[in-house]
Amino acid sequence: MLNSFGHVSLEHYLVLSAILFTIGMLGVLLRKNVLVMLMGIELMLNAVNLSFVAFSHFTGNINGQIMVFFVMTVAAAEAGVGLALAVTIFKKFKEVNIKFFENLKG
Amino acid sequence: MLTSGLLFYILAAAIVLFAIAVVMSSNPIYSALYLALTMVTLAFMFFMLNAPFIAGVQLIVYAGAVVVLFTMVMMLFDLKKEQEAFARGKFTGFIKIASAGWLCGLIAGAVYMSSEMIVSGSKAVSENTATTKNLAIELFTNYILAFEALGILLLLIAVGAVSISRIKGGTHA
């Protein structure tokens, strides 16, 4: 009954986390919209959170979940600043494209 | 045990599909909604991993705050149909996808090779250590300095976000 299909180990969660991180990285690399790039960063941070929680569960150590709090707070702060930058870039160029970031000074 | 394995595979497939949809949809508002779905599914997975408080925080912070922030900023913009959603260049695109796949394969291979080393069969998953009370005790005793530093960081971010979005161009406005 406990075959390889029914048994979920730590490696399953780690591989899922790696796949999610890769998808987020592709979102940052391939897209030109600043908002979608920020969403890719959020996906990467969530992949890290998943591996933290999985380690915390499978080792019985609670410190991983504490670290997830910090990652979440920093992610929310990063989204706030990134969206403020996107608002600035839209006010000047009427488009949210990453190629306009080099013109953003002063 | 079989049902938990089945549930894991269903949730994993949903997470991967929604994440791919975030990256691939050319309309950013669809991306934001798929991001919300990804976060909700990840919260279910955290719940499966005996972290109910983290799951609730994930729902509140990500699906409730961050994605709503994204959608509100998008409503602020006048989004037309995107002309060039993806970066140009077939060759560089291929290199990007190949390197990302290579990274994923490297991580998965490392996990597979070191599967005896990491947590070698410590099935003593203590059910009682991960309660919310223990989480709070740990957070407010050992990590109190980092907690206060996060408060200062959030204050800085609030001031900084307001001052960035008021830039008008030219010298310091």
Side-chain angles (χ1 to χ4, degrees):
Chain A
M1 176 175 154
L2 280 178
N3 49 5
S4 67
F5 183 70
H7 181 66
V8 180
S9 61
L10 177 60
E11 290 85 22
H12 290 76
Y13 287 100
L14 291 183
V15 170
L16 174 64
S17 168
I19 293 172
L20 194 57
F21 188 91
T22 309
I23 294 171
M25 195 177 100
L26 275 178
V28 175
L29 286 179
L30 288 180
R31 297 300 296 263
K32 301 190 81 172
N33 196 326
V34 177
L35 296 168
V36 185
M37 293 175 75
L38 283 173
M39 287 180 207
I41 294 174
E42 297 292 328
L43 278 181
M44 287 197 277
L45 288 166
N46 267 290
V48 174
N49 277 349
L50 178 62
S51 65
F52 268 131
V53 174
F55 270 115
S56 162
H57 173 69
F58 282 98
T59 60
N61 191 352
I62 207 169
N63 290 319
Q65 299 196 12
I66 302 283
M67 212 51 71
V68 171
F69 276 118
F70 296 148
V71 172
M72 273 184 189
T73 315
V74 173
E78 167 262 330
V81 173
L83 289 174
L85 278 174
V87 168
T88 311
I89 208 168
F90 183 78
K91 278 199 299 191
K92 285 188 76 164
F93 300 104
K94 302 297 171 204
E95 195 180 351
V96 274
N97 199 318
I98 193 64
K99 71 183 175 189
F100 292 123
F101 259 75
E102 60 195 27
N103 304 110
L104 196 69
K105 78 179 169 189
Chain B
M1 208 60 189
L2 192 64
T3 58
S4 95
L6 195 60
L7 191 59
F8 170 79
Y9 284 110
I10 292 172
L11 285 180
I15 286 175
V16 171
L17 279 181
F18 291 149
I20 288 175
V22 169
V23 176
M24 281 302 158
S25 37
S26 63
N27 196 345
I29 202 101
Y30 290 157
S31 289
L33 295 180
Y34 280 123
L35 186 68
L37 275 176
T38 313
M39 298 307 176
V40 171
T41 325
L42 263 174
F44 274 112
M45 192 158 268
F46 289 162
F47 198 79
M48 258 174 59
L49 280 170
N50 273 332
F53 191 69
I54 296 287
V57 169
Q58 169 94 5
L59 276 180
I60 293 171
V61 171
Y62 275 116
V66 172
V67 177
V68 171
L69 192 66
F70 271 108
T71 46
M72 284 186 69
V73 168
M74 262 175 244
M75 286 176 200
L76 206 63
F77 298 159
D78 181 24
L79 280 179
K80 293 173 284 293
K81 182 68 180 170
E82 261 189 299
Q83 302 301 325
E84 36 179 0
F86 293 90
R88 274 172 300 173
K90 285 231 173 17
F91 183 64
T92 53
F94 174 73
I95 286 182
K96 282 167 187 170
I97 292 176
S99 59
W102 195 36
L103 173 72
C104 185
L106 273 182
I107 296 174
V111 167
Y112 179 70
M113 298 288 272
S114 63
S115 61
E116 288 87 15
M117 269 187 286
I118 46 174
V119 207
S120 56
S122 81
K123 281 293 119 179
V125 180
S126 43
E127 303 284 333
N128 292 323
T129 56
T131 61
T132 307
K133 184 180 172 185
N134 287 337
L135 207 61
I137 288 172
E138 190 76 17
L139 184 62
F140 289 112
T141 53
N142 289 335
Y143 290 92
I144 186 66
L145 184 64
F147 188 73
E148 303 277 344
L150 274 187
I152 295 176
L153 173 75
L154 284 180
L155 177 66
L156 281 177
I157 290 301
V159 176
V162 171
S163 75
I164 284 174
S165 57
R166 288 189 71 239
I167 290 176
K168 287 191 178 61
T171 55
H172 301 287

